[in-house]
């Protein structure tokens, strides 16, 4: 059974950086795609960043130039590098990913449990 386990959240001052991790546990061959969403307090979940199988990336306008999404299949993990953090980046961050389970093309898709990021003095 595959699970996505997130880590790396915490309390950080404005202008600082954090790197969120989303590790796929279980027997997988690779992570095909990954998205990072966030849900600020009292607001709906929104897409922050996405990466496809060929490495193409997309970012919300609010994070372009500050956040970077990438996958390291040697570690069965994806990451969201967040630089120049702002108070408005405060949210619970969730990853979702499609993983390749076997060479017949069987895939699994699911969500991580979420990790809190708080940007404050």
């Amino acid at each position: 059974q595959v699970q996505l386990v997130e880590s790396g959240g915490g309390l950080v001052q404005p202008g600082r950086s954090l790197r969120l991790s989303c590790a796929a546990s279980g027997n997988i061959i690779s992570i095909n795609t990954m998205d990072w969403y966030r849900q600020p307090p009292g607001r709906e979940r929104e897409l922050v960043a996405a990466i496809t199988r060929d490495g193409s990336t997309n970012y919300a306008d609010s994070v372009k130039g500050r956040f970077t999404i990438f996958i390291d299949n040697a570690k069965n993990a994806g990451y969201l590098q967040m630089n120049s953090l702002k108070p408005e980046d405060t949210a619970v961050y969730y990853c979702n990913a499609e993983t390749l389970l076997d060479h017949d093309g069987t895939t699994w898709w699911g969500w991580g449990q979420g990790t809190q990021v708080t940007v404050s003095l």
Side-chain angles (χ1 to χ4, degrees):
Q1 183 174 351
V2 182
Q3 285 187 315
L4 298 175
V5 180
E6 298 183 39
S7 61
L11 172 63
V12 64
Q13 293 181 337
R16 303 300 292 270
S17 298
L18 280 176
R19 177 178 289 186
L20 305 184
S21 301
C22 178
S25 65
N27 199 16
I28 71 167
I29 293 175
S30 64
I31 298 172
N32 285 344
T33 66
M34 182 172 286
D35 302 329
W36 284 91
Y37 286 76
R38 68 185 181 189
Q39 187 164 16
R43 295 170 56 184
E44 294 187 354
R45 194 174 296 190
E46 60 184 10
L47 179 64
V48 174
I51 185 167
T52 62
R53 188 182 314 195
D54 64 0
S56 299
T57 57
N58 279 293
Y59 298 94
D61 287 344
S62 58
V63 307
K64 279 181 182 176
R66 299 189 298 122
F67 289 12
T68 303
I69 185 172
F70 60 100
I71 293 171
D72 183 349
N73 273 313
K75 297 182 179 179
N76 284 349
Y79 302 90
L80 184 68
Q81 176 67 41
M82 306 186 295
N83 298 330
S84 302
L85 283 162
K86 304 176 181 180
E88 52 262 44
D89 294 319
T90 295
V92 178
Y93 284 71
Y94 298 90
C95 64
N96 73 49
E98 179 189 89
T99 62
L100 181 65
L101 301 182
D102 59 39
H103 292 291
D104 292 327
T106 306
T107 59
W108 175 91
W109 180 91
W111 289 89
Q113 83 280 9
T115 186
Q116 176 70 47
V117 172
T118 303
V119 184
S120 179
L121 291 172

